[in-house]
Amino acid sequence: MKKVIAVAAIMMGLICAPLVQADIVGIDSFDYPDGPIAGRNGGYGWDFQGEGNPQGSSPTAWIHQAGSTEVLNGQLELRNTGDNWISTRREFSSDTWGTGAFQNVGIVYFAATLRVNEPQGWLGISAADGDTERVKFGMPWVTGGLGYLGINNENDGRYVLSDVPVVVGQIYRIVGVLDYDNNAARMWIDPDTGDYDTPHSTSADVILSNLNMWNWVNGVRVASGASTTWDDVVIATTFPETFMPGVFNHLPHDPFPAAGEVDVPLDTVLSWTIPQDPNGLIDPNLVSMQLYIGTDLDPNLVWVADITEWNPQTLRASYSLTLSLDRVYSWRVDTIQDTGQTVPGHVWSFSAEKSIPKIITQPAYQVVEAGDTAVFAVVVQSVSPPSFQWFRADPDGDIMLADNDKISGAQAPTLQVADASLADEAGYYCVVSNASGADVVSETALLGIKRLLAYWPFEDNNPDSVIDGSPASLLYGEPEFTDGIVGGAMAFTNDLLYTDPERADYFDICNHSVSVCAWVKANTSVEWAPMVARFGEDGQGWQLRRHGNTNDRICFTTRGTGNDDGTPSNRTVYDGQWHFAVGTFDGQTKKVYIDGVLSRRYSVDHGGIIQEYDAVRGRINPTATPVSLAGRVRPGGETLEFEGFTPCVLDEVAIYNYALDAETIAQMYANVAGRPICPEQLPYDLDGDCIVDMNDLAKLASEWLTDISVKPTD
């Protein structure tokens, strides 16, 4: 295993001590029947009486906090159910809140095995203080997308990162420690047993000082922003115990296919890590193993082979198996000891490939001009000829489509909607069938008609968008009308404008593609302060705002798309002059324009342009909050919270439901500024008039053979 360490604080003395007065605080391998984790109180310990004291007889139980927290195949599965976070926690002892086991003294370790199942912004196993999270070991919220493993201090928001990226599908063993005596924390990722008695190179460490752990810790929280799988949680007072010698590694472990795996190929090889001693060596008592396999047709596991050979380098054993379609397989590896004792192993399950059709490519969001044709398509794998039926999602009941003058391909892989109009704006999905008799439903793809959703010119002291059907505008505080770049404008200080919260869903279509435009005049650059926003925090929504890691540059934040904040602009808008700022998002790329020109990154070393856009993916995560100008609106239960106020003057604010192209944005700027502009710099346009003509030739000729080199003297 690799030895990668994230260190919070300089812990010269925290090279873990030998096993002295060691205590298991709590262990749970989630060996429960499938179902919710709430109320389960198994494992070992969880009634901690203090270091050096025996466990009590009243173990605590897991408490559900948010999302779906369930046991599946002996592992803890966290899945999102719309709460935007998933969490369960368990206390160390049955003490009441505020009298926890670790009260600003001693050392406590937190360990868990983790698999990330889909992209997300944060995750981790945390030291908990009642309902309060104190320090999280996992992936701190840094970019809002998949980042790096590290430690997050929830008391003050500071974090430290390792160099280990979080990869979907990869399994990690996380071991973190809180050291109250040194006011510090440390984390190991996939550690070796030697990590606790071998000093590490400081070049491998990253440091964050003064954790300010002024509160006790009396529990553990396991949480994530999207789907994750957790196993083998250990809370202990020494590092070696986090390897759980004699508890887990003495059994076969790390199965392939992983527990709960689906669509396993028919020709597959079962494999597993053989039992080991606490030092990670082959268990000296191991003689052989017995493999048992069963399917969903028979609940009994049947012996299929004695395993007497394995790879001594990888410590893995294997067995080739030919599967059948549609079957769910269960298997177990028992250990035969040199005493003749048989030690039963864990039961793992996985699902073989299915004969039902499999949708390889889902229909994609379409945003088209009115009158154009929208095209939706699915790509399917099927062992028998598939059939297709397209539907239109409708609040009053979904409509089965049939071919007519407007619709073609209603029973084909590709659906076309001709002469598209606002009346066709809806979701479209396909039901695929084959000889298995089981239907598979595609994702629902939205059809949008390109249009201007909202436009605030602020003329005649009117704060509302002038687009018919757009939500009314409300004011928080007292923004003032003033002179704009065109007619009137609105000036903001510690106030903002926001749209009717009851009609927040009007802007939902922008989650798929959007352009946000605003003329802005500002002298003050406030960290992360937005000009135009739809929340844009906590994994929801978007913001055209100042980039927080720069003093005077803007960015376009799109939550849930990866690369959430994106690259800061290459020039400022905070100079007291009018500037035209635009952010565009089309589901694959995100761009920022200033004064009609795309914000690009140049490098002399790389010979020119090195970046024109930020790569993103999918759609912006939904939010129930309204759009706001010169600040953010945060959901706060029954009330709204107003924050992120941006001192500025705004004019000609517009929101489109599609990504504007460079030429259109340049024309919008030219129309208001009253001067020509080149959206793309032409080669050999030496005088900047957007035309290559005789004037450029004359300029070139005037400088022909000009030599400004320095020559050696005699």
Side-chain angles (χ1 to χ4, degrees):
M1 289 183 172
K2 55 183 177 290
K3 295 188 282 187
V4 180
I5 309 138
V7 178
I10 303 174
M11 296 180 290
M12 303 303 291
L14 193 53
I15 304 298
C16 309
L19 193 60
V20 177
Q21 291 190 341
D23 286 288
I24 293 289
V25 178
I27 293 178
D28 205 329
S29 60
F30 306 106
D31 291 330
Y32 306 110
D34 290 354
I37 189 62
R40 307 290 181 94
N41 66 349
Y44 172 80
W46 303 104
D47 189 8
F48 190 63
Q49 305 296 303
E51 190 169 348
N53 297 316
Q55 291 277 353
S57 58
S58 301
T60 61
W62 288 96
I63 300 170
H64 173 263
Q65 291 187 291
S68 172
T69 56
E70 297 197 347
V71 174
L72 180 64
N73 295 322
Q75 296 177 307
L76 177 62
E77 298 285 342
L78 271 55
R79 298 190 185 94
N80 201 305
T81 57
D83 296 322
N84 294 312
W85 69 300
I86 317 110
S87 177
T88 182
R89 67 181 180 88
R90 187 172 183 177
E91 294 184 354
F92 301 148
S93 66
S94 51
D95 292 339
T96 58
W97 180 87
T99 59
F102 296 92
Q103 301 178 44
N104 303 336
V105 293
I107 295 175
V108 56
Y109 290 80
F110 297 79
T113 300
L114 159 71
R115 184 179 72 207
V116 182
N117 300 322
E118 60 184 350
Q120 55 196 283
W122 61 274
L123 53 88
I125 178 171
S126 306
D129 170 13
D131 284 327
T132 303
E133 183 184 15
R134 291 299 177 193
V135 174
K136 175 164 60 190
F137 304 98
M139 185 178 74
W141 188 302
V142 179
T143 64
L146 284 176
Y148 291 83
L149 292 172
I151 304 171
N152 201 72
N153 183 351
E154 299 295 333
N155 289 319
D156 57 19
R158 292 179 300 139
Y159 60 85
V160 61
L161 299 178
S162 73
D163 60 357
V164 179
V166 178
V167 178
V168 170
Q170 187 161 325
I171 297 174
Y172 306 89
R173 182 67 178 171
I174 293 174
V175 179
V177 60
L178 292 183
D179 180 0
Y180 281 94
D181 298 335
N182 292 291
N183 193 26
R186 186 174 196 163
M187 186 171 82
W188 293 261
I189 303 159
D190 294 339
D192 294 326
T193 54
D195 278 326
Y196 57 79
D197 58 13
T198 302
H200 298 283
S201 165
T202 56
S203 64
D205 297 344
V206 286
I207 295 175
L208 177 68
S209 60
N210 298 324
L211 274 183
N212 297 322
M213 283 298 300
W214 56 83
N215 291 89
W216 49 82
V217 168
N218 66 353
V220 61
R221 189 185 91 160
V222 178
S224 57
S227 175
T228 50
T229 301
W230 299 82
D231 206 353
D232 299 345
V233 169
V234 179
I235 314 300
T237 60
T238 67
F239 183 88
E241 291 169 305
T242 63
F243 287 90
M244 299 171 291
V247 180
F248 295 102
N249 287 350
H250 79 287
L251 298 175
H253 52 285
D254 297 333
F256 178 86
E261 192 74 32
V262 297
D263 290 331
V264 174
L266 299 186
D267 292 324
T268 194
V269 177
L270 304 180
S271 68
W272 60 93
T273 300
I274 66 174
Q276 301 162 37
D277 67 13
N279 295 314
L281 303 176
I282 297 175
D283 185 345
N285 300 315
L286 174 65
V287 174
S288 64
M289 291 168 283
Q290 295 178 331
L291 175 64
Y292 292 80
I293 299 177
T295 73
D296 50 344
L297 297 178
D298 186 347
N300 298 309
L301 299 182
V302 178
W303 172 88
V304 295
D306 287 326
I307 308 298
T308 58
E309 296 182 353
W310 43 83
N311 188 315
Q313 281 75 43
T314 64
L315 304 186
R316 300 281 291 180
S318 61
Y319 183 80
S320 296
L321 190 66
T322 299
L323 309 179
S324 299
L325 288 167
D326 302 326
R327 295 275 67 85
V328 176
Y329 287 83
S330 298
W331 59 299
R332 186 185 78 225
V333 180
D334 293 349
T335 301
I336 309 301
Q337 302 285 303
D338 54 7
T339 61
Q341 178 187 10
T342 299
V343 181
H346 298 295
V347 176
W348 302 303
S349 298
F350 62 86
S351 299
E353 291 183 78
K354 297 184 180 299
S355 60
I356 64 175
K358 181 185 299 183
I359 298 177
I360 305 302
T361 302
Q362 297 285 351
Y365 169 68
Q366 298 284 300
V367 56
V368 300
E369 298 280 1
D372 285 354
T373 298
V375 179
F376 300 95
V378 291
V379 176
V380 173
Q381 285 184 353
S382 177
V383 296
S384 58
S387 60
F388 306 86
Q389 178 60 60
W390 287 90
F391 290 80
R392 170 179 165 151
D394 190 272
D396 297 325
D398 293 354
I399 301 169
M400 179 185 294
L401 299 178
D403 288 350
N404 53 37
D405 293 342
K406 191 178 188 66
I407 300 293
S408 61
Q411 295 182 331
T414 300
L415 171 73
Q416 297 189 49
V417 182
D419 192 22
S421 67
L422 281 176
D424 300 310
E425 201 168 72
Y428 293 82
Y429 65 91
C430 187
V431 177
V432 184
S433 307
N434 68 2
S436 69
D439 293 340
V440 175
V441 181
S442 77
E443 296 176 0
T444 299
L446 186 66
L447 168 58
I449 304 301
K450 289 184 177 181
R451 64 189 188 277
L452 179 60
L453 293 177
Y455 171 46
W456 289 269
F458 298 119
E459 303 303 322
D460 302 321
N461 292 342
N462 179 13
D464 283 324
S465 161
V466 297
I467 300 299
D468 289 341
S470 60
S473 296
L474 306 172
L475 301 179
Y476 174 80
E478 298 181 352
E480 299 178 350
F481 290 100
T482 186
D483 293 334
I485 187 74
V486 177
M490 183 164 277
F492 300 88
T493 50
N494 292 316
D495 37 38
L496 57 79
L497 177 151
Y498 64 105
T499 59
D500 183 358
E502 298 298 321
R503 297 195 57 206
D505 59 356
Y506 175 81
F507 295 98
D508 285 352
I509 196 171
C510 297
N511 295 335
H512 300 270
S513 60
V514 65
S515 293
V516 181
C517 313
W519 280 89
V520 57
K521 183 167 70 171
N523 292 301
T524 304
S525 175
V526 179
E527 184 175 359
W528 294 124
M531 286 85 102
V532 187
R534 192 177 183 206
F535 190 26
E537 301 292 346
D538 297 348
Q540 307 172 38
W542 48 263
Q543 300 179 68
L544 181 63
R545 64 172 177 175
R546 200 204 93 171
H547 194 282
N549 295 329
T550 61
N551 291 327
D552 58 357
R553 307 302 169 93
I554 65 171
C555 67
F556 191 31
T557 296
T558 52
R559 295 295 183 194
T561 65
N563 206 0
D564 283 22
D565 290 323
T567 306
S569 63
N570 58 2
R571 53 201 182 98
T572 188
V573 299
Y574 300 98
D575 57 5
Q577 304 298 314
W578 281 107
H579 292 283
F580 187 46
V582 179
T584 69
F585 165 81
D586 63 7
Q588 295 181 315
T589 62
K590 181 168 60 175
K591 301 177 182 179
V592 172
Y593 297 79
I594 297 178
D595 293 341
V597 178
L598 178 63
S599 179
R600 292 185 172 96
R601 294 287 170 181
Y602 295 86
S603 171
V604 174
D605 294 338
H606 291 81
I609 298 171
I610 60 172
Q611 184 175 3
E612 292 188 308
Y613 58 83
D614 289 309
V616 290
R617 62 181 180 273
R619 65 169 186 163
I620 300 170
N621 284 343
T623 181
T625 54
V627 164
S628 56
L629 275 57
R632 261 190 314 272
V633 177
R634 175 182 291 274
E638 296 181 358
T639 61
L640 298 174
E641 299 176 8
F642 303 96
E643 62 183 22
F645 302 114
T646 306
C648 65
V649 182
L650 295 178
D651 196 7
E652 302 295 304
V653 179
I655 301 174
Y656 298 80
N657 69 339
Y658 64 99
L660 296 170
D661 58 44
E663 185 175 354
T664 299
I665 293 170
Q667 188 64 60
M668 294 168 68
Y669 172 78
N671 290 345
V672 173
R675 57 178 178 269
I677 184 174
C678 300
E680 300 285 345
Q681 182 67 44
L682 293 172
Y684 312 116
D685 175 19
L686 304 181
D687 58 4
D689 63 356
C690 305
I691 302 172
V692 179
D693 55 14
M694 294 300 294
N695 292 330
D696 299 300
L697 179 59
K699 184 173 178 60
L700 175 63
S702 69
E703 299 175 0
W704 185 254
L705 296 182
T706 298
D707 184 0
I708 60 171
S709 61
V710 176
K711 297 178 174 58
T713 58
D714 294 335

